[in-house]
Amino acid sequence: MPCDPCEIGSLFLFEKLSAEQLGRLCAEGRMERFEPGPVYAEGDPATCFYVMIEGTVVLSRRVGGDDVEVGRTSQRGVYAGAMQAYLGDQVPQTYTNSMRVTEPTRFFVLPAESFAAVMREWFPMAAHLLEGLFFGSKSTQRAVGQRERLLALGSLAAGLTHELNNPAAAAVRATATLRERVGKMRHKLAVIAQGPYSREALAGLIEIQERTAERVAKAPSLTPLEAADREDELADWLDEHGIQEGWRIAPTFVQAGLDTEWLEQVAATVDEDILPGAVGWLNYTVETELLMDEIDDSTGRISHLVDAAKQYAQLDRAPHREVDVHELLDSTLLMLSAKIGPHVRVVKEYDRSLPEVPAYPAELNQVWTNLIDNAVAAIGSGGGDGTLTVRTAREGDRLLVEFRDTGPGVAEEIRGRIFDPFFTTKPVGEGTGLGLDISWRIVVDKHHGSLQVESVPGDTRFQVLLPLTAPEPDSDSDSDSPTAEEPV
């Protein structure tokens, strides 16, 4: 179709050009009419710059297995296509979206080489400024993103240190107390050995000690009221049998699962004159068993925390592999437990029948971290107390991971911007605005999934959808932000 310089000169994009410049555009470009259907596809070589004269265009992006519409307009003069041609080989020259028309539509079409040439010749300063803006924003985004990762790592390290300190301190205290109790047990053993006890009595006492140790390992859990009642019963029994400071011994025996019936068996086994010594001996036995249980529990918690840290960081693991998302979620929740705090109740609604999915687990943990951190911050801004629900389910051929919080919600007017780089609602110094942008790029660009939000006051849901089966995604973790290119 013939190109009319006056017609393209009436478009806002070209209205400041001279007649000579308009003539060059018409000489190097062309008018082209498209019937309803596709014009170009995302990922194809970007060969042309399109400016709409009349009609309706629709832009879409590929998200997972779906084409998501990101723009629709009938505004005369909107443009799309090879918009970064002036950058040359510095960036991949491919279409960043797909374009189709819904009615017969006429375009002014300029080859990418011509568009790049006129940009550099007619607007050299603007081209340099745009180039600096493009690469400068990418560099800034990368630097701030690295800084945010370091801050998150520091926060997690502080939280992990706090979590490790509690069981480590408990183990140290228990070890010191155990050393003291073992020393007293040796002293008590010397006293018993020097007393007028027969070999049979000593053998019976040792046999009772063994059975007491076994009973400690099987001690039932009691309510505070049940424990108080049993302590009173044991203290009364000990007082009746002439054993001093029964009130001090009773709580230890109750914790070990011993009761008056057990003490009656002890009294029936040993002579009355050695009963106080036997009870004291059994008390040391019970205390040492309880202290060893405490040490075992503390060191077990330390080991569990270290395993969770390794799981979170994915140390010594293949970067891309089949993973159970529940393991990743549990390790992230444990790593963030100090930040979540006691005012946020965590509810897990897991579908354990879900299969493993192909993923970069360390990067998914980063997504979980960002979404949980945002949920906790939202709950805090709404008064402090609330519930965080983490749910997994299957939706067709994709796996859903949903984070639901009871915070005040995301206002509708900013909901479309929350995934934009550097956009944040947190106070200055508390947020960089890259957490959701990074999460989007990890989920959408690297895993071919989708990340979406639904929000009303008291019920905000961030939903991550991951393909159950998919080819290995790109390994370029520094891919551009997925913000859709819209016609302008």
Side-chain angles (χ1 to χ4, degrees):
M1 299 176 61
C3 175
D4 182 359
C6 292
E7 183 176 33
I8 65 171
S10 66
L11 302 175
F12 66 85
L13 189 63
F14 303 133
E15 61 185 0
K16 300 297 184 180
L17 298 183
S18 66
E20 181 182 356
Q21 290 173 324
L22 293 173
R24 177 177 172 180
L25 290 179
C26 271
E28 298 187 13
R30 66 184 184 275
M31 291 290 184
E32 192 166 347
R33 179 186 176 92
F34 289 85
E35 295 301 319
V39 177
Y40 62 75
E42 180 180 351
D44 287 349
T47 58
C48 295
F49 177 70
Y50 295 84
V51 184
M52 190 182 74
I53 305 296
E54 57 184 359
T56 301
V57 299
V58 177
L59 294 181
S60 62
R61 290 207 60 183
R62 194 74 174 171
V63 179
D66 303 320
D67 285 317
V68 178
E69 183 176 318
V70 295
R72 178 187 293 257
T73 184
S74 299
Q75 180 182 352
R76 189 169 182 268
V78 296
Y79 54 88
M83 295 170 57
Q84 297 175 353
Y86 64 93
L87 295 174
D89 295 335
Q90 299 179 83
V91 296
Q93 292 297 333
T94 58
Y95 292 120
T96 58
N97 54 31
S98 297
M99 183 168 73
R100 61 185 175 88
V101 297
T102 59
E103 60 178 314
T105 301
R106 193 159 56 96
F107 290 95
F108 171 67
V109 183
L110 187 65
E113 297 83 358
S114 297
F115 175 66
V118 298
M119 280 290 292
R120 287 192 291 265
E121 292 177 23
W122 296 350
F123 316 106
M125 183 176 178
H128 285 305
L129 289 173
L130 289 172
E131 182 178 343
L133 177 65
F134 178 81
F135 290 108
S137 73
K138 286 192 66 175
S139 176
T140 301
Q141 182 174 336
R142 187 178 298 111
V144 175
Q146 292 172 347
R147 175 65 175 171
E148 182 167 271
R149 292 186 181 98
L150 288 174
L151 290 174
L153 179 60
S155 176
L156 288 172
L160 179 61
T161 302
H162 174 76
E163 293 295 323
L164 286 170
N165 181 65
N166 292 332
V172 171
R173 289 194 303 268
T175 302
T177 306
L178 179 62
R179 182 177 289 110
E180 178 187 348
R181 293 298 183 270
V182 171
K184 291 184 177 181
M185 182 180 288
R186 290 196 300 265
H187 175 71
K188 181 66 71 174
L189 180 60
V191 172
I192 291 176
Q194 294 171 4
Y197 305 125
S198 64
R199 178 177 295 181
E200 291 76 12
L202 290 176
L205 188 58
I206 295 299
E207 192 270 334
I208 292 174
Q209 182 188 35
E210 294 295 331
R211 287 193 287 135
T212 301
E214 293 176 1
R215 186 143 181 169
V216 172
K218 302 175 182 178
S221 298
L222 302 176
T223 65
L225 184 59
E226 290 172 338
D229 290 341
R230 185 170 293 186
E231 286 177 15
D232 291 340
E233 293 176 6
L234 286 174
D236 291 342
W237 189 96
L238 293 169
D239 290 342
E240 291 171 1
H241 289 76
I243 299 172
Q244 297 180 354
E245 296 188 335
W247 58 272
R248 191 187 300 274
I249 298 175
T252 303
F253 280 4
V254 170
Q255 187 179 357
L258 306 183
D259 51 21
T260 54
E261 182 180 349
W262 175 258
L263 292 178
E264 289 290 352
Q265 295 178 25
V266 174
T269 303
V270 301
D271 296 335
E272 184 176 353
D273 58 336
I274 69 170
L275 180 60
V279 170
W281 171 258
L282 294 178
N283 179 52
Y284 288 137
T285 299
V286 169
E287 286 185 334
T288 55
E289 289 294 325
L290 292 176
L291 288 168
M292 285 189 288
D293 286 345
E294 184 177 348
I295 294 171
D296 181 67
D297 178 67
S298 299
T299 53
R301 286 175 59 195
I302 292 173
S303 177
H304 181 56
L305 285 167
V306 171
D307 287 342
K310 290 179 63 178
Q311 172 69 30
Y312 179 83
Q314 292 296 305
L315 298 176
D316 304 324
R317 306 286 184 93
H320 184 269
R321 60 186 180 87
E322 299 282 331
V323 297
D324 182 350
V325 295
H326 303 107
E327 293 180 359
L328 305 183
L329 290 168
D330 285 341
S331 66
T332 304
L333 287 168
L334 182 57
M335 292 292 292
L336 294 176
S337 57
K339 175 173 284 191
I340 293 172
H343 299 294
V344 177
R345 186 170 71 97
V346 178
V347 177
K348 299 178 183 179
E349 297 179 357
Y350 291 169
D351 180 357
R352 294 287 186 178
S353 66
L354 292 171
E356 294 185 340
V357 296
Y360 289 97
E363 300 204 19
L364 283 185
N365 280 339
Q366 188 177 3
V367 175
W368 311 152
T369 298
N370 292 335
L371 297 181
I372 292 171
D373 183 61
N374 283 350
V376 171
I379 292 172
S381 67
D385 294 333
T387 301
L388 168 63
T389 303
V390 184
R391 182 172 73 94
T392 62
R394 182 168 186 156
E395 289 198 1
D397 60 348
R398 296 191 292 180
L399 183 148
L400 167 69
V401 181
E402 180 182 80
F403 299 85
R404 184 167 71 246
D405 69 73
T406 56
V410 181
E412 185 174 358
E413 57 268 21
I414 66 171
R415 205 170 298 162
R417 301 174 56 201
I418 60 175
F419 296 109
D420 291 350
F422 306 110
F423 179 79
T424 179
T425 58
K426 296 178 180 178
V428 175
E430 293 187 17
T432 61
L434 284 178
L436 289 178
D437 170 55
I438 291 171
S439 299
W440 175 286
R441 287 189 282 121
I442 290 172
V443 172
V444 177
D445 290 353
K446 296 203 68 173
H447 292 85
H448 304 299
S450 67
L451 175 58
Q452 58 200 35
V453 61
E454 299 176 359
S455 183
V456 295
D459 186 2
T460 298
R461 308 181 182 204
F462 280 87
Q463 298 172 328
V464 177
L465 287 161
L466 300 171
L468 292 173
T469 56
E472 182 171 327
D474 298 334
S475 60
D476 181 11
S477 60
D478 291 327
S479 59
D480 293 343
S481 170
T483 304
E485 176 189 335
E486 298 186 9
V488 292

mmCIF file of all heavy atoms in Angstrom, residues 7 19 34 57 103 105 124 142 162 181 185 194 201 225 228 282 427 439 473:
data_model
loop_
_atom_site.group_PDB
_atom_site.id
_atom_site.type_symbol
_atom_site.label_atom_id
_atom_site.label_comp_id
_atom_site.label_asym_id
_atom_site.label_seq_id
_atom_site.Cartn_x
_atom_site.Cartn_y
_atom_site.Cartn_z
ATOM 1 N N GLU A 7 -0.080 11.619 5.990
ATOM 2 C CA GLU A 7 -0.863 10.772 6.900
ATOM 3 C C GLU A 7 -0.024 10.340 8.101
ATOM 4 O O GLU A 7 -0.470 10.448 9.248
ATOM 5 C CB GLU A 7 -1.386 9.541 6.154
ATOM 6 C CG GLU A 7 -2.271 8.654 7.046
ATOM 7 C CD GLU A 7 -2.862 7.491 6.291
ATOM 8 O OE1 GLU A 7 -2.193 6.969 5.369
ATOM 9 O OE2 GLU A 7 -3.989 7.069 6.633
ATOM 10 N N ALA A 19 9.394 17.568 6.573
ATOM 11 C CA ALA A 19 8.892 16.916 5.360
ATOM 12 C C ALA A 19 9.940 15.960 4.793
ATOM 13 O O ALA A 19 9.612 14.880 4.279
ATOM 14 C CB ALA A 19 8.496 17.973 4.333
ATOM 15 N N PHE A 34 -3.558 -5.705 7.731
ATOM 16 C CA PHE A 34 -3.644 -7.059 8.279
ATOM 17 C C PHE A 34 -5.098 -7.392 8.563
ATOM 18 O O PHE A 34 -5.844 -6.582 9.149
ATOM 19 C CB PHE A 34 -2.848 -7.177 9.588
ATOM 20 C CG PHE A 34 -1.352 -7.146 9.412
ATOM 21 C CD1 PHE A 34 -0.673 -5.929 9.344
ATOM 22 C CD2 PHE A 34 -0.631 -8.323 9.299
ATOM 23 C CE1 PHE A 34 0.689 -5.891 9.179
ATOM 24 C CE2 PHE A 34 0.740 -8.294 9.133
ATOM 25 C CZ PHE A 34 1.406 -7.081 9.071
ATOM 26 N N VAL A 57 -5.473 -3.399 18.098
ATOM 27 C CA VAL A 57 -4.388 -4.349 18.342
ATOM 28 C C VAL A 57 -4.514 -4.929 19.744
ATOM 29 O O VAL A 57 -5.018 -4.274 20.658
ATOM 30 C CB VAL A 57 -2.992 -3.697 18.178
ATOM 31 C CG1 VAL A 57 -2.802 -3.190 16.773
ATOM 32 C CG2 VAL A 57 -2.793 -2.589 19.187
ATOM 33 N N GLU A 103 -9.636 -6.804 14.029
ATOM 34 C CA GLU A 103 -10.407 -6.302 12.894
ATOM 35 C C GLU A 103 -9.406 -5.889 11.825
ATOM 36 O O GLU A 103 -8.198 -5.759 12.116
ATOM 37 C CB GLU A 103 -11.272 -5.117 13.318
ATOM 38 C CG GLU A 103 -10.487 -3.928 13.858
ATOM 39 C CD GLU A 103 -11.380 -2.769 14.217
ATOM 40 O OE1 GLU A 103 -12.267 -2.440 13.392
ATOM 41 O OE2 GLU A 103 -11.199 -2.182 15.308
ATOM 42 N N THR A 105 -6.822 -4.055 10.121
ATOM 43 C CA THR A 105 -6.014 -3.009 10.749
ATOM 44 C C THR A 105 -4.866 -2.618 9.823
ATOM 45 O O THR A 105 -4.222 -3.479 9.221
ATOM 46 C CB THR A 105 -5.462 -3.494 12.103
ATOM 47 O OG1 THR A 105 -6.554 -3.836 12.954
ATOM 48 C CG2 THR A 105 -4.635 -2.416 12.782
ATOM 49 N N PRO A 124 20.597 11.550 18.118
ATOM 50 C CA PRO A 124 21.759 10.888 18.740
ATOM 51 C C PRO A 124 21.779 11.053 20.259
ATOM 52 O O PRO A 124 22.093 10.117 20.986
ATOM 53 C CB PRO A 124 22.956 11.563 18.072
ATOM 54 C CG PRO A 124 22.425 12.868 17.554
ATOM 55 C CD PRO A 124 21.009 12.601 17.160
ATOM 56 N N ARG A 142 19.980 -4.908 39.227
ATOM 57 C CA ARG A 142 20.807 -6.054 39.610
ATOM 58 C C ARG A 142 21.538 -5.775 40.923
ATOM 59 O O ARG A 142 21.600 -6.633 41.807
ATOM 60 C CB ARG A 142 21.811 -6.356 38.500
ATOM 61 C CG ARG A 142 22.615 -7.633 38.727
ATOM 62 C CD ARG A 142 23.564 -7.895 37.573
ATOM 63 N NE ARG A 142 22.845 -8.090 36.329
ATOM 64 C CZ ARG A 142 22.858 -7.233 35.312
ATOM 65 N NH1 ARG A 142 23.552 -6.109 35.406
ATOM 66 N NH2 ARG A 142 22.176 -7.472 34.216
ATOM 67 N N HIS A 162 19.538 -17.019 66.446
ATOM 68 C CA HIS A 162 18.637 -16.957 67.596
ATOM 69 C C HIS A 162 18.002 -18.318 67.873
ATOM 70 O O HIS A 162 17.929 -18.765 69.025
ATOM 71 C CB HIS A 162 17.551 -15.912 67.324
ATOM 72 C CG HIS A 162 16.491 -15.851 68.374
ATOM 73 N ND1 HIS A 162 16.701 -15.254 69.600
ATOM 74 C CD2 HIS A 162 15.222 -16.335 68.395
ATOM 75 C CE1 HIS A 162 15.597 -15.354 70.324
ATOM 76 N NE2 HIS A 162 14.689 -16.007 69.617
ATOM 77 N N ARG A 181 24.654 -33.900 89.076
ATOM 78 C CA ARG A 181 23.822 -35.019 89.550
ATOM 79 C C ARG A 181 24.599 -36.329 89.532
ATOM 80 O O ARG A 181 24.446 -37.161 90.421
ATOM 81 C CB ARG A 181 22.582 -35.147 88.661
ATOM 82 C CG ARG A 181 21.605 -33.985 88.773
ATOM 83 C CD ARG A 181 21.037 -33.870 90.178
ATOM 84 N NE ARG A 181 20.061 -32.811 90.253
ATOM 85 C CZ ARG A 181 20.329 -31.563 90.553
ATOM 86 N NH1 ARG A 181 21.589 -31.209 90.805
ATOM 87 N NH2 ARG A 181 19.382 -30.658 90.605
ATOM 88 N N MET A 185 25.283 -38.761 92.594
ATOM 89 C CA MET A 185 24.934 -40.181 92.511
ATOM 90 C C MET A 185 26.115 -41.052 92.946
ATOM 91 O O MET A 185 25.936 -42.055 93.646
ATOM 92 C CB MET A 185 24.509 -40.525 91.075
ATOM 93 C CG MET A 185 24.071 -41.981 90.906
ATOM 94 S SD MET A 185 23.574 -42.352 89.218
ATOM 95 C CE MET A 185 22.013 -41.474 89.178
ATOM 96 N N GLN A 194 28.633 -48.435 101.813
ATOM 97 C CA GLN A 194 29.189 -48.515 103.159
ATOM 98 C C GLN A 194 28.132 -48.867 104.205
ATOM 99 O O GLN A 194 28.474 -49.115 105.373
ATOM 100 C CB GLN A 194 29.843 -47.165 103.522
ATOM 101 C CG GLN A 194 31.066 -46.836 102.676
ATOM 102 C CD GLN A 194 31.571 -45.423 102.901
ATOM 103 O OE1 GLN A 194 31.029 -44.712 103.758
ATOM 104 N NE2 GLN A 194 32.601 -45.029 102.154
ATOM 105 N N ALA A 201 19.580 -56.889 98.764
ATOM 106 C CA ALA A 201 18.950 -55.566 98.789
ATOM 107 C C ALA A 201 19.543 -54.665 97.708
ATOM 108 O O ALA A 201 18.829 -53.940 97.022
ATOM 109 C CB ALA A 201 19.117 -54.934 100.169
ATOM 110 N N LEU A 225 -3.092 -29.352 85.571
ATOM 111 C CA LEU A 225 -3.926 -29.715 86.721
ATOM 112 C C LEU A 225 -3.635 -31.142 87.161
ATOM 113 O O LEU A 225 -3.514 -31.428 88.378
ATOM 114 C CB LEU A 225 -5.403 -29.557 86.358
ATOM 115 C CG LEU A 225 -6.399 -29.822 87.490
ATOM 116 C CD1 LEU A 225 -6.150 -28.868 88.662
ATOM 117 C CD2 LEU A 225 -7.842 -29.673 86.983
ATOM 118 N N ALA A 228 -0.265 -31.219 88.963
ATOM 119 C CA ALA A 228 -0.326 -30.648 90.313
ATOM 120 C C ALA A 228 -0.962 -31.632 91.299
ATOM 121 O O ALA A 228 -0.475 -31.798 92.438
ATOM 122 C CB ALA A 228 -1.109 -29.339 90.282
ATOM 123 N N LEU A 282 16.926 -43.250 93.563
ATOM 124 C CA LEU A 282 16.050 -43.235 92.395
ATOM 125 C C LEU A 282 15.814 -41.804 91.898
ATOM 126 O O LEU A 282 15.663 -41.580 90.698
ATOM 127 C CB LEU A 282 14.711 -43.895 92.727
ATOM 128 C CG LEU A 282 14.775 -45.403 93.029
ATOM 129 C CD1 LEU A 282 13.389 -45.927 93.397
ATOM 130 C CD2 LEU A 282 15.332 -46.169 91.824
ATOM 131 N N PRO A 427 7.704 1.774 54.254
ATOM 132 C CA PRO A 427 8.358 3.055 54.508
ATOM 133 C C PRO A 427 9.771 3.081 53.931
ATOM 134 O O PRO A 427 10.388 2.040 53.692
ATOM 135 C CB PRO A 427 8.392 3.141 56.046
ATOM 136 C CG PRO A 427 7.319 2.218 56.510
ATOM 137 C CD PRO A 427 7.254 1.121 55.499
ATOM 138 N N SER A 439 10.529 -12.383 42.549
ATOM 139 C CA SER A 439 9.668 -13.570 42.633
ATOM 140 C C SER A 439 8.984 -13.823 41.299
ATOM 141 O O SER A 439 8.898 -14.973 40.839
ATOM 142 C CB SER A 439 8.630 -13.384 43.737
ATOM 143 O OG SER A 439 9.247 -13.227 44.993
ATOM 144 N N PRO A 473 13.833 -25.029 32.532
ATOM 145 C CA PRO A 473 13.773 -23.620 32.182
ATOM 146 C C PRO A 473 15.150 -23.032 31.981
ATOM 147 O O PRO A 473 16.166 -23.665 32.218
ATOM 148 C CB PRO A 473 13.079 -22.986 33.402
ATOM 149 C CG PRO A 473 13.397 -23.913 34.531
ATOM 150 C CD PRO A 473 13.497 -25.289 33.925
#
